[in-house]
mmCIF file of all heavy atoms in Angstrom:
data_model
loop_
_atom_site.group_PDB
_atom_site.id
_atom_site.type_symbol
_atom_site.label_atom_id
_atom_site.label_comp_id
_atom_site.label_asym_id
_atom_site.label_seq_id
_atom_site.Cartn_x
_atom_site.Cartn_y
_atom_site.Cartn_z
ATOM 1 N N ARG H 1 -34.647 63.864 59.213
ATOM 2 C CA ARG H 1 -34.463 62.705 58.321
ATOM 3 C C ARG H 1 -33.048 62.175 58.352
ATOM 4 O O ARG H 1 -32.568 61.599 57.384
ATOM 5 C CB ARG H 1 -34.876 63.076 56.904
ATOM 6 C CG ARG H 1 -36.368 63.338 56.735
ATOM 7 C CD ARG H 1 -36.713 63.533 55.283
ATOM 8 N NE ARG H 1 -36.446 62.341 54.497
ATOM 9 C CZ ARG H 1 -36.460 62.307 53.166
ATOM 10 N NH1 ARG H 1 -36.689 63.428 52.478
ATOM 11 N NH2 ARG H 1 -36.218 61.203 52.509
ATOM 12 N N SER H 2 -32.353 62.336 59.452
ATOM 13 C CA SER H 2 -30.963 61.878 59.557
ATOM 14 C C SER H 2 -30.893 60.502 60.232
ATOM 15 O O SER H 2 -31.831 60.046 60.878
ATOM 16 C CB SER H 2 -30.149 62.879 60.364
ATOM 17 O OG SER H 2 -30.511 62.802 61.758
ATOM 18 N N ILE H 3 -29.745 59.863 60.102
ATOM 19 C CA ILE H 3 -29.530 58.562 60.745
ATOM 20 C C ILE H 3 -29.586 58.706 62.250
ATOM 21 O O ILE H 3 -30.008 57.782 62.964
ATOM 22 C CB ILE H 3 -28.203 57.922 60.281
ATOM 23 C CG1 ILE H 3 -28.070 56.478 60.775
ATOM 24 C CG2 ILE H 3 -26.997 58.759 60.726
ATOM 25 C CD1 ILE H 3 -29.106 55.545 60.200
ATOM 26 N N TYR H 4 -29.193 59.875 62.778
ATOM 27 C CA TYR H 4 -29.290 60.113 64.211
ATOM 28 C C TYR H 4 -30.745 60.014 64.672
ATOM 29 O O TYR H 4 -31.053 59.311 65.632
ATOM 30 C CB TYR H 4 -28.738 61.504 64.542
ATOM 31 C CG TYR H 4 -28.953 61.932 65.977
ATOM 32 C CD1 TYR H 4 -28.056 61.554 66.969
ATOM 33 C CD2 TYR H 4 -30.091 62.668 66.350
ATOM 34 C CE1 TYR H 4 -28.272 61.927 68.299
ATOM 35 C CE2 TYR H 4 -30.301 63.030 67.655
ATOM 36 C CZ TYR H 4 -29.395 62.649 68.632
ATOM 37 O OH TYR H 4 -29.610 63.003 69.936
ATOM 38 N N LYS H 5 -31.632 60.708 63.981
ATOM 39 C CA LYS H 5 -33.052 60.685 64.340
ATOM 40 C C LYS H 5 -33.616 59.289 64.235
ATOM 41 O O LYS H 5 -34.388 58.831 65.096
ATOM 42 C CB LYS H 5 -33.815 61.654 63.423
ATOM 43 C CG LYS H 5 -35.307 61.685 63.617
ATOM 44 C CD LYS H 5 -35.709 62.321 64.922
ATOM 45 C CE LYS H 5 -37.206 62.525 65.000
ATOM 46 N NZ LYS H 5 -37.635 63.013 66.334
ATOM 47 N N ALA H 6 -33.252 58.580 63.178
ATOM 48 C CA ALA H 6 -33.740 57.217 62.965
ATOM 49 C C ALA H 6 -33.319 56.303 64.119
ATOM 50 O O ALA H 6 -34.119 55.505 64.623
ATOM 51 C CB ALA H 6 -33.241 56.674 61.641
ATOM 52 N N LEU H 7 -32.092 56.393 64.547
ATOM 53 C CA LEU H 7 -31.567 55.551 65.619
ATOM 54 C C LEU H 7 -32.203 55.896 66.972
ATOM 55 O O LEU H 7 -32.556 54.986 67.736
ATOM 56 C CB LEU H 7 -30.049 55.697 65.741
ATOM 57 C CG LEU H 7 -29.182 54.755 64.911
ATOM 58 C CD1 LEU H 7 -27.715 55.125 65.077
ATOM 59 C CD2 LEU H 7 -29.424 53.295 65.296
ATOM 60 N N ILE H 8 -32.330 57.157 67.244
ATOM 61 C CA ILE H 8 -32.853 57.569 68.542
ATOM 62 C C ILE H 8 -34.315 57.168 68.695
ATOM 63 O O ILE H 8 -34.767 56.838 69.783
ATOM 64 C CB ILE H 8 -32.684 59.092 68.722
ATOM 65 C CG1 ILE H 8 -31.197 59.449 68.843
ATOM 66 C CG2 ILE H 8 -33.437 59.588 69.933
ATOM 67 C CD1 ILE H 8 -30.455 58.720 69.959
ATOM 68 N N ASP H 9 -35.065 57.143 67.581
ATOM 69 C CA ASP H 9 -36.485 56.858 67.654
ATOM 70 C C ASP H 9 -36.867 55.410 67.300
ATOM 71 O O ASP H 9 -38.043 55.067 67.330
ATOM 72 C CB ASP H 9 -37.253 57.781 66.702
ATOM 73 C CG ASP H 9 -37.263 59.230 67.192
ATOM 74 O OD1 ASP H 9 -36.837 59.451 68.329
ATOM 75 O OD2 ASP H 9 -37.672 60.111 66.420
ATOM 76 N N VAL H 10 -35.899 54.590 66.979
ATOM 77 C CA VAL H 10 -36.209 53.250 66.466
ATOM 78 C C VAL H 10 -36.960 52.399 67.493
ATOM 79 O O VAL H 10 -37.770 51.542 67.132
ATOM 80 C CB VAL H 10 -34.952 52.499 65.972
ATOM 81 C CG1 VAL H 10 -34.014 52.171 67.114
ATOM 82 C CG2 VAL H 10 -35.316 51.274 65.197
ATOM 83 N N ASP H 11 -36.697 52.614 68.798
ATOM 84 C CA ASP H 11 -37.324 51.756 69.799
ATOM 85 C C ASP H 11 -38.562 52.393 70.446
ATOM 86 O O ASP H 11 -39.049 51.902 71.455
ATOM 87 C CB ASP H 11 -36.303 51.398 70.868
ATOM 88 C CG ASP H 11 -35.788 52.637 71.630
ATOM 89 O OD1 ASP H 11 -35.954 53.761 71.115
ATOM 90 O OD2 ASP H 11 -35.245 52.456 72.732
ATOM 91 N N HIS H 12 -39.042 53.483 69.874
ATOM 92 C CA HIS H 12 -40.274 54.098 70.399
ATOM 93 C C HIS H 12 -41.455 53.138 70.246
ATOM 94 O O HIS H 12 -41.643 52.524 69.207
ATOM 95 C CB HIS H 12 -40.585 55.397 69.679
ATOM 96 C CG HIS H 12 -39.748 56.551 70.170
ATOM 97 N ND1 HIS H 12 -40.024 57.834 69.853
ATOM 98 C CD2 HIS H 12 -38.638 56.598 70.977
ATOM 99 C CE1 HIS H 12 -39.113 58.632 70.418
ATOM 100 N NE2 HIS H 12 -38.281 57.893 71.107
ATOM 101 N N ASP H 13 -42.253 53.044 71.304
ATOM 102 C CA ASP H 13 -43.452 52.191 71.233
ATOM 103 C C ASP H 13 -44.487 52.770 70.269
ATOM 104 O O ASP H 13 -45.230 52.032 69.606
ATOM 105 C CB ASP H 13 -44.072 52.059 72.640
ATOM 106 C CG ASP H 13 -43.162 51.278 73.576
ATOM 107 O OD1 ASP H 13 -42.414 50.427 73.067
ATOM 108 O OD2 ASP H 13 -43.210 51.507 74.789
ATOM 109 N N VAL H 14 -44.549 54.089 70.195
ATOM 110 C CA VAL H 14 -45.493 54.780 69.309
ATOM 111 C C VAL H 14 -44.697 55.340 68.113
ATOM 112 O O VAL H 14 -43.752 56.084 68.287
ATOM 113 C CB VAL H 14 -46.243 55.895 70.023
ATOM 114 C CG1 VAL H 14 -47.199 56.603 69.066
ATOM 115 C CG2 VAL H 14 -46.981 55.349 71.237
ATOM 116 N N ASN H 15 -45.085 54.934 66.921
ATOM 117 C CA ASN H 15 -44.434 55.409 65.691
ATOM 118 C C ASN H 15 -42.912 55.203 65.700
ATOM 119 O O ASN H 15 -42.140 56.164 65.589
ATOM 120 C CB ASN H 15 -44.732 56.874 65.442
ATOM 121 C CG ASN H 15 -46.209 57.122 65.200
ATOM 122 O OD1 ASN H 15 -46.881 56.296 64.573
ATOM 123 N ND2 ASN H 15 -46.716 58.243 65.697
ATOM 124 N N PRO H 16 -42.445 53.976 65.866
ATOM 125 C CA PRO H 16 -41.006 53.725 65.812
ATOM 126 C C PRO H 16 -40.449 54.021 64.429
ATOM 127 O O PRO H 16 -41.187 54.048 63.428
ATOM 128 C CB PRO H 16 -40.878 52.236 66.163
ATOM 129 C CG PRO H 16 -42.189 51.653 65.758
ATOM 130 C CD PRO H 16 -43.218 52.719 66.039
ATOM 131 N N SER H 17 -39.136 54.249 64.353
ATOM 132 C CA SER H 17 -38.517 54.609 63.067
ATOM 133 C C SER H 17 -38.639 53.501 62.042
ATOM 134 O O SER H 17 -38.451 52.306 62.346
ATOM 135 C CB SER H 17 -37.013 54.903 63.288
ATOM 136 O OG SER H 17 -36.851 56.032 64.105
ATOM 137 N N ASN H 18 -38.951 53.897 60.828
ATOM 138 C CA ASN H 18 -38.893 53.020 59.670
ATOM 139 C C ASN H 18 -37.796 53.576 58.769
ATOM 140 O O ASN H 18 -37.900 54.704 58.287
ATOM 141 C CB ASN H 18 -40.242 53.025 58.930
ATOM 142 C CG ASN H 18 -40.244 52.156 57.699
ATOM 143 O OD1 ASN H 18 -39.203 51.721 57.223
ATOM 144 N ND2 ASN H 18 -41.411 51.913 57.141
ATOM 145 N N ILE H 19 -36.726 52.812 58.553
ATOM 146 C CA ILE H 19 -35.586 53.332 57.829
ATOM 147 C C ILE H 19 -35.930 53.822 56.444
ATOM 148 O O ILE H 19 -35.297 54.759 55.934
ATOM 149 C CB ILE H 19 -34.455 52.242 57.737
ATOM 150 C CG1 ILE H 19 -33.164 52.833 57.187
ATOM 151 C CG2 ILE H 19 -34.926 51.055 56.927
ATOM 152 C CD1 ILE H 19 -32.576 53.935 57.998
ATOM 153 N N GLU H 20 -36.972 53.277 55.837
ATOM 154 C CA GLU H 20 -37.344 53.705 54.489
ATOM 155 C C GLU H 20 -37.806 55.165 54.467
ATOM 156 O O GLU H 20 -37.736 55.820 53.429
ATOM 157 C CB GLU H 20 -38.422 52.775 53.925
ATOM 158 C CG GLU H 20 -37.889 51.364 53.673
ATOM 159 C CD GLU H 20 -38.943 50.429 53.089
ATOM 160 O OE1 GLU H 20 -39.297 50.628 51.905
ATOM 161 O OE2 GLU H 20 -39.401 49.536 53.797
ATOM 162 N N ASP H 21 -38.260 55.669 55.601
ATOM 163 C CA ASP H 21 -38.684 57.063 55.675
ATOM 164 C C ASP H 21 -37.489 58.026 55.669
ATOM 165 O O ASP H 21 -37.660 59.235 55.478
ATOM 166 C CB ASP H 21 -39.493 57.311 56.954
ATOM 167 C CG ASP H 21 -40.810 56.569 56.965
ATOM 168 O OD1 ASP H 21 -41.322 56.261 55.848
ATOM 169 O OD2 ASP H 21 -41.309 56.268 58.053
ATOM 170 N N PHE H 22 -36.280 57.492 55.858
ATOM 171 C CA PHE H 22 -35.075 58.326 55.962
ATOM 172 C C PHE H 22 -34.184 58.236 54.724
ATOM 173 O O PHE H 22 -33.171 58.910 54.648
ATOM 174 C CB PHE H 22 -34.294 57.915 57.201
ATOM 175 C CG PHE H 22 -35.017 58.195 58.489
ATOM 176 C CD1 PHE H 22 -35.961 57.287 58.979
ATOM 177 C CD2 PHE H 22 -34.772 59.363 59.217
ATOM 178 C CE1 PHE H 22 -36.636 57.546 60.155
ATOM 179 C CE2 PHE H 22 -35.451 59.612 60.381
ATOM 180 C CZ PHE H 22 -36.380 58.719 60.855
ATOM 181 N N ILE H 23 -34.582 57.409 53.773
ATOM 182 C CA ILE H 23 -33.780 57.214 52.582
ATOM 183 C C ILE H 23 -34.043 58.315 51.546
ATOM 184 O O ILE H 23 -35.204 58.619 51.259
ATOM 185 C CB ILE H 23 -34.034 55.824 51.957
ATOM 186 C CG1 ILE H 23 -33.573 54.738 52.926
ATOM 187 C CG2 ILE H 23 -33.349 55.687 50.611
ATOM 188 C CD1 ILE H 23 -33.954 53.333 52.497
ATOM 189 N N ARG H 24 -33.003 58.887 51.005
ATOM 190 C CA ARG H 24 -33.117 59.925 49.985
ATOM 191 C C ARG H 24 -32.434 59.468 48.688
ATOM 192 O O ARG H 24 -31.440 58.745 48.737
ATOM 193 C CB ARG H 24 -32.382 61.193 50.397
ATOM 194 C CG ARG H 24 -32.916 61.891 51.624
ATOM 195 C CD ARG H 24 -32.009 63.082 51.883
ATOM 196 N NE ARG H 24 -32.516 63.966 52.888
ATOM 197 C CZ ARG H 24 -32.048 65.195 53.093
ATOM 198 N NH1 ARG H 24 -31.067 65.637 52.353
ATOM 199 N NH2 ARG H 24 -32.535 65.967 54.037
ATOM 200 N N SER H 25 -32.935 59.920 47.589
ATOM 201 C CA SER H 25 -32.251 59.719 46.312
ATOM 202 C C SER H 25 -31.101 60.709 46.216
ATOM 203 O O SER H 25 -31.229 61.867 46.607
ATOM 204 C CB SER H 25 -33.194 59.900 45.143
ATOM 205 O OG SER H 25 -32.484 59.920 43.911
#
């Protein structure tokens, strides 16, 4: 759930990153 994971996966054709999945309170 880190920004690294979000960035690396953002351009995946299957299940690309959604930033809202990485936001924590």
